[in-house]
Structure formats: structure tokens, C-alpha cells
Amino acid sequence: MLLIPAIDLKDGHCVRLVQGDMDQSTVFSENPADMALQWVNKGARRLHLVDLNGAFAGKPQNFSAIRAILKAVGDDIPVQLGGGIRDLDTIEKYIDGGIRYVIIGTAAVKNPGFLKDACSAFGGHIIVGLDAKDGKVATDGWSKLTGHEVVDLGKKFEDYGVESIIYTDIGRDGMLSGINIDATVKLAQALSIPVIASGGLSNMQDIEGLCAVEDEGIEGVICGRAIYSGDLDFEKAQARADELNG
């Protein structure tokens, strides 16, 4: 079970939002590269970056901060990145720059043809981010709820050749209210590609709950506000996950 620290970038700083609201942001570090190195030194084996400005602008906005993070952590730690990725040129730029996995969210739902082309051109490097509330997928920084069922889209994107799916329960994100394990398992059981849990991680109980269902196809969990607020000790949590699942 991979515990994947999230570094959300806004105006070059590391922040956390409450339920995706750009007006409810807390700055946790003025230097995201130092923050990335801190998580690696505490045992992180992958990092999750989000270009928040990019997500809302529809194009990359924090490239210098991303480049600094990649330089700080080196080639040994895979870095996945989402936010504002809408074309193949952007994907190519990021992968050439050292990003291991590119996360496509809104564009995957609105423009499936683009996702298909991305999987074809950059096989093994494309992750889809599915953000949902009550089983329905949301887009545009969570501001629009679609009629699409999470499982239906997951199956469709699996057929396209995506590497894995990040499933975020947006009703819980940033709220420290606990991972929606049941919904995550439901999606994982419907797919043969790995699912990464996200949204609401709050304590060690969540980690143990996810480890108990890891065999259903859950590869990891995005760690956000809880590891920044101190509600969850990242180093101890990763050690516990390793102890439970090896």
C-alpha cells in the first residue's frame, strides 16, 4: 500500500484546500521542493502533485515549482501530476521534464478522444482522476456534477489503456472525515487496473481499513490535509501499512 503525499500548488506555494475551494486555502509551505524532500525523507515512495491554478486555467501555471520539486527528489521517486492537462504537448513536456505519471481529470470526461490519444502516445504514463459525489462524476474543479456513473467511466477508461485510476470522494476531501472505502472497493472490484484512494484520509484507522482491502485492487492512497495538520503521522502510517501488507 503506497501512501502518496499530496503537494497542491497554488501561486508557487504548497497549500491545502477545503473541498476544492480556491478561496479556502491554507499555505503549508512557501517552498514546495523542501516539502517534497521532507516527505521523501519520511519514507514516501511516490509523490502526488496538483497544479491548482492550472486546473482552473486549463493550462500549466506552476511549472517552475514543479521543476524544482523534480530536481530536489531526483529520478528515484516517481512523481504523478494533475491539473490543467488538456493537450498532448503538455503531457510530452511534463514527461520529458521528469514526471512519471500524468493525471487527466476533467478532460478525460469531456473529451474521451483526447484521453484515448494520450494513452496511445504515452502508454504506461497516463492516470485518470475520477472525482465523484454519491457515485456521480464531477468535473471543472468539482464545480459541475455530471450524470456519469464512476464505475461505467472507469471501465471505459480501462479499455483505453490507462495505467490506474485515482478515485476521490469530493464530499470528503479536505474534511478529515475518513476515506470512502466502500465506494473505492466497489470501483476497484469492477476493474483490473489499480485504484488509488483519495479524499478524506484522517487517521491510522483509515490506513488499516484500506490495507484490509488492498487485495481488491487498491494500490495506494493520496495523503493530504491529515499529514499536514498532524492528525496522521506519515512515517508511522507508511510503516504500519508495510507491516500489514508487506
Side-chain angles (χ1 to χ4, degrees):
M1 177 69 63
L2 280 175
L3 274 58
I4 310 172
I7 298 176
D8 290 359
L9 300 167
K10 181 186 176 191
D11 306 329
H13 302 146
C14 172
V15 306
R16 294 303 298 166
L17 305 185
V18 175
Q19 292 192 290
D21 187 345
M22 287 286 270
D23 294 327
Q24 292 192 67
S25 66
T26 305
V27 176
F28 281 103
S29 174
E30 302 283 338
N31 190 325
D34 284 352
M35 184 60 73
L37 213 49
Q38 176 184 314
W39 296 128
V40 171
N41 290 336
K42 287 179 182 289
R45 299 194 286 268
R46 189 190 291 195
L47 295 175
H48 175 83
L49 310 187
V50 181
D51 180 352
L52 291 171
N53 302 103
F56 284 87
K59 57 185 179 181
Q61 300 286 309
N62 281 284
F63 199 70
S64 59
I66 292 162
R67 197 162 38 216
I69 289 169
L70 290 168
K71 186 178 179 183
V73 302
D75 298 332
D76 294 337
I77 302 295
V79 176
Q80 59 192 42
L81 167 75
I85 296 164
R86 305 280 192 271
D87 58 67
L88 297 179
D89 287 345
T90 300
I91 296 174
E92 186 172 30
K93 181 181 180 183
Y94 277 139
I95 291 175
D96 286 350
I99 293 292
R100 182 78 58 89
Y101 303 107
V102 168
I103 303 160
I104 301 175
T106 292
V109 181
K110 290 187 158 184
N111 187 0
F114 162 59
L115 178 64
K116 209 174 210 176
D117 290 344
C119 289
S120 177
F122 305 102
H125 293 282
I126 304 299
I127 293 174
V128 163
L130 287 180
D131 305 329
K133 189 173 185 180
D134 301 325
K136 302 288 186 185
V137 173
T139 61
D140 299 278
W142 305 349
S143 62
K144 296 175 184 172
L145 212 54
T146 72
H148 296 295
E149 294 282 345
V150 172
V151 170
D152 293 343
L153 277 186
K155 287 178 177 177
K156 179 180 177 181
F157 296 155
E158 178 178 36
D159 290 342
Y160 287 0
V162 303
E163 183 70 13
S164 57
I165 287 177
I166 297 172
Y167 173 70
T168 304
D169 184 320
I170 63 175
R172 301 184 182 217
D173 191 79
M175 304 300 288
L176 299 175
S177 55
I179 287 279
N180 189 338
I181 291 179
D182 290 345
T184 308
V185 167
K186 183 182 175 185
L187 178 61
Q189 287 175 333
L191 306 174
S192 58
I193 56 174
V195 171
I196 297 170
S198 174
L201 180 74
S202 59
N203 53 36
M204 195 72 87
Q205 196 174 341
D206 283 332
I207 299 298
E208 292 177 349
L210 283 166
C211 285
V213 294
E214 183 174 14
D215 290 346
E216 301 291 352
I218 299 170
E219 177 181 42
V221 57
I222 308 293
C223 305
R225 182 169 289 275
I227 60 171
Y228 287 93
S229 65
D231 288 86
L232 182 70
D233 182 308
F234 178 83
E235 199 166 6
K236 287 180 181 174
Q238 183 63 76
R240 178 64 175 148
D242 291 344
E243 180 189 333
L244 288 169
N245 290 76

